[in-house]
Amino acid sequence: MARTFTAEDEERLRQLHADGLSRNEIHRQTGWALGTISNHARRLGLAFDREAVRAATDARQIDLKAQRQELQQELLELAREQMARARSRYLLTGMTQTGEIAAQWLDLPPAKESKDLTTSAMSALARFDQKAKDDAEHDKDEQLSAIDRFLSAAMGEKPQQDE
């Protein structure tokens, strides 16, 4: 059943627009169809400033890149910690036949634990490497002209950068 656009909806649209939200963000927050938002915004005399949206999108991309770089640092640190643990002394604990807790220090972790720590480090490094590749690809895409990106997307191709 179609939802009726009420006076309260108009007021909410005005408020979200005044807050600088894009048409797509208004859609995400309200669930209204993009066409509904466009039609009512036009009727209410509201325009979506593409430059403001572009600036907000660019700022968001910069913020996301900073977050990815922070995550990369954490992944690299995790890999270093796991490798250090794989090379350090290891406290082996268990139970004796009489039910007492026994502990013994080993120079290195047992093979299974060493393998698990190394696997964890390799997994963190693989994620680190993928994040670095994603950032490099994103940086390369930013150097393409807008028309190149548009045409490539319209043709369903990945844009190629001129050398």
Side-chain angles (χ1 to χ4, degrees):
M1 185 164 118
R3 195 168 90 179
T4 304
F5 201 83
T6 65
E8 290 83 18
D9 292 331
E10 284 184 4
E11 184 56 36
R12 181 149 189 232
L13 176 58
R14 280 190 178 101
Q15 183 59 50
L16 293 172
H17 182 270
D19 290 345
L21 272 63
S22 70
R23 186 178 65 127
N24 288 342
E25 185 58 33
I26 292 172
H27 160 72
R28 281 189 283 277
Q29 288 192 18
T30 63
W32 297 323
L34 293 172
T36 301
I37 295 167
S38 296
N39 291 337
H40 288 286
R42 190 177 315 111
R43 185 178 56 77
L44 296 170
L46 305 174
F48 292 98
D49 180 8
R50 294 190 186 271
E51 285 305 314
V53 171
R54 187 180 333 273
T57 300
D58 290 345
R60 176 76 174 137
Q61 291 300 319
I62 290 169
D63 183 50
L64 289 173
K65 185 173 182 178
Q67 289 178 27
R68 285 192 305 272
Q69 288 173 340
E70 185 177 315
L71 179 58
Q72 286 174 331
Q73 289 299 326
E74 290 176 21
L75 291 169
L76 193 55
E77 185 58 35
L78 175 63
R80 285 186 180 127
E81 288 172 7
Q82 298 299 1
M83 290 306 297
R85 288 180 64 198
R87 292 187 207 111
S88 65
R89 290 184 50 170
Y90 185 85
L91 180 62
L92 182 65
T93 59
M95 301 284 281
T96 65
Q97 291 178 343
T98 59
E100 297 175 14
I101 297 176
Q104 178 182 359
W105 282 100
L106 304 175
D107 289 334
L108 294 172
K112 182 184 180 331
E113 284 76 6
S114 182
K115 177 184 173 192
D116 290 346
L117 291 167
T118 305
T119 300
S120 174
M122 294 302 294
S123 176
L125 286 174
R127 287 187 300 250
F128 173 89
D129 187 46
Q130 185 59 50
K131 296 287 181 202
K133 286 178 184 175
D134 291 346
D135 278 345
E137 187 66 31
H138 182 264
D139 290 345
K140 188 187 303 181
D141 287 346
E142 283 183 345
Q143 295 172 6
L144 296 172
S145 71
I147 193 70
D148 288 337
R149 289 192 300 265
F150 172 77
L151 291 173
S152 295
M155 296 174 66
E157 299 174 351
K158 186 158 181 70
Q160 297 295 319
Q161 184 175 359
D162 293 335
E163 294 298 322

